[in-house]
Amino acid sequence: MQNFFVKSHGLGNDYIVLNQDEITFQLTEKAIIRICDVHFGIGSDGILLKVPSNKADFGLRILNPDGSEAEKSGNGLRIFAKYLYDYGFAQSKIFSIETPGGLVKAEVIEEKNNKAFTIKVDMGKAIFESKKVPVNCEKEECIGETLELEYRGYEINCVSVGNPHCVVLKDELDEKEIKTFGPQIETHSMFPNRINVQFAKVVSPNEVEVMIWERGAGWTLASGSSSCAVACTVVKRGLTERNLTIKMPGGILAIEIDEDWEIRMTGEVREIGSGTLSAELIEDLEL
């Protein structure tokens, strides 16, 4: 169906799904920003674009609401997997997806009313090597290093889970604090590709609370890749077990990390609605 879209959320982190084969317009930076705008478009935390792949069953591009492109998104992958399963593209409950951040395996764990409800995604391997995150750090790994901002400093821990993350461990979490300093960390010169930022509080050996400032999107209720990054960081620092519950303002994800730093993430996804982009909106996109 031409210009058909589906909007879904993973723990309050919402995405619009489009099929490259079905849209009749160029998905330019301007078009992405307009579609994601809550007043002039549909409104979302980003766009998931189904594209061809010669390496996996399906291909995915992840487009941020500021028009930039992300390498990987945990919630986005679960939302995309639900779309593929619910709309008949995936013929089985296990399938592969190619992202700019690498190949992943998705599995529908639970259905409700013949729709995917709980999805597990193999998120790949955590990488701590500074130059591969990337982060401009003199140490081979940027773990427990200091980042100086204009008005204060933070002890940071950097990891890539297909996209770059900076984790700050805190005794208490403060929404105002991460909204103030998250954008400063995201755009700091230490991070050549910018970076996703998480403030994390270890509650127990199996539970961590997290607040997120997402690169290209800002304050976010939940993030799958951020949850994976936090889980890997607290395991790396010896603060928790390898099977964790990550609690965010939008909800909970289960994260498993094996001895080789391979990550598996499980969580719920819900569809919000579907429809067709209007001719008038498409006309505005092309102006």
Side-chain angles (χ1 to χ4, degrees):
M1 186 187 304
Q2 280 192 344
N3 301 318
F4 177 75
F5 74 90
V6 175
K7 184 177 179 181
S8 300
H9 76 90
L11 311 180
N13 189 204
D14 61 302
Y15 281 90
I16 295 162
V17 187
L18 296 172
N19 186 340
Q20 182 174 275
D21 294 335
E22 295 176 352
I23 60 175
T24 61
F25 57 91
Q26 291 294 316
L27 201 53
T28 61
E29 180 179 313
K30 176 188 172 184
I32 295 164
I33 294 169
R34 183 62 175 261
I35 292 170
C36 293
D37 188 280
V38 69
H39 301 294
F40 293 97
I42 300 171
S44 78
D45 290 321
I47 294 173
L48 306 173
L49 184 65
K50 179 180 177 292
V51 296
S53 172
N54 55 18
K55 295 181 180 180
D57 297 321
F58 306 99
L60 170 65
R61 290 181 64 200
I62 304 158
L63 307 168
N64 294 319
D66 67 353
S68 63
E69 187 164 358
E71 301 92 338
K72 190 181 285 186
S73 163
N75 283 328
L77 278 162
R78 294 200 326 283
I79 288 169
F80 187 61
K82 176 177 172 61
Y83 165 81
L84 294 173
Y85 187 77
D86 290 356
Y87 287 87
F89 295 102
Q91 300 301 309
S92 70
K93 291 187 175 182
I94 300 176
F95 45 90
S96 58
I97 301 170
E98 180 185 1
T99 75
L103 296 176
V104 302
K105 183 180 77 173
E107 180 178 358
V108 177
I109 301 296
E110 181 184 3
E111 294 181 55
K112 284 192 175 181
N113 301 317
N114 297 315
K115 301 287 187 179
F117 179 63
T118 304
I119 295 173
K120 177 184 284 190
V121 177
D122 183 341
M123 289 290 287
K125 190 170 186 174
I127 297 172
F128 294 96
E129 190 177 344
S130 294
K131 64 181 180 181
K132 292 182 179 179
V133 172
V135 51
N136 296 322
C137 180
E138 294 181 358
K139 302 288 183 64
E140 183 177 348
E141 295 181 349
C142 187
I143 301 295
E145 297 298 313
T146 300
L147 172 66
E148 292 292 346
L149 302 177
E150 185 176 0
Y151 295 109
R152 64 164 301 165
Y154 281 108
E155 183 182 276
I156 61 170
N157 306 275
C158 297
V159 58
S160 171
V161 293
N163 57 353
H165 295 267
C166 175
V167 181
V168 178
L169 300 176
K170 303 281 294 181
D171 293 329
E172 298 296 335
L173 300 182
D174 184 331
E175 182 178 327
K176 182 179 179 181
E177 182 184 8
I178 193 168
K179 285 182 175 179
T180 300
F181 294 103
Q184 295 181 35
I185 298 173
E186 176 198 357
T187 57
H188 194 277
S189 60
M190 197 170 181
F191 310 113
N193 296 340
R194 297 190 295 164
I195 204 157
N196 298 286
V197 183
Q198 302 85 32
F199 285 5
K201 173 186 175 182
V202 176
V203 178
S204 76
N206 299 102
E207 182 180 316
V208 183
E209 293 180 357
V210 182
M211 287 186 176
I212 301 154
W213 182 269
E214 192 168 10
R215 179 186 59 168
W219 166 257
T220 304
L221 291 173
S223 165
S225 63
S226 291
S227 297
C228 294
V230 168
C232 290
T233 296
V234 294
V235 169
K236 178 82 167 176
R237 297 291 298 263
L239 301 174
T240 65
E241 305 295 334
R242 288 181 174 268
N243 290 349
L244 292 168
T245 296
I246 304 295
K247 291 189 173 182
M248 297 161 286
I252 296 171
L253 287 174
I255 308 294
E256 307 166 48
I257 305 165
D258 70 16
E259 296 292 335
D260 295 320
W261 297 103
E262 295 286 345
I263 311 162
R264 284 168 292 280
M265 171 193 63
T266 305
E268 298 176 359
V269 187
R270 301 292 277 171
E271 183 176 309
I272 296 167
S274 62
T276 304
L277 299 178
S278 73
E280 293 179 22
L281 174 59
I282 292 169
E283 181 183 339
D284 291 342
L285 301 180
E286 295 174 339
L287 289 177

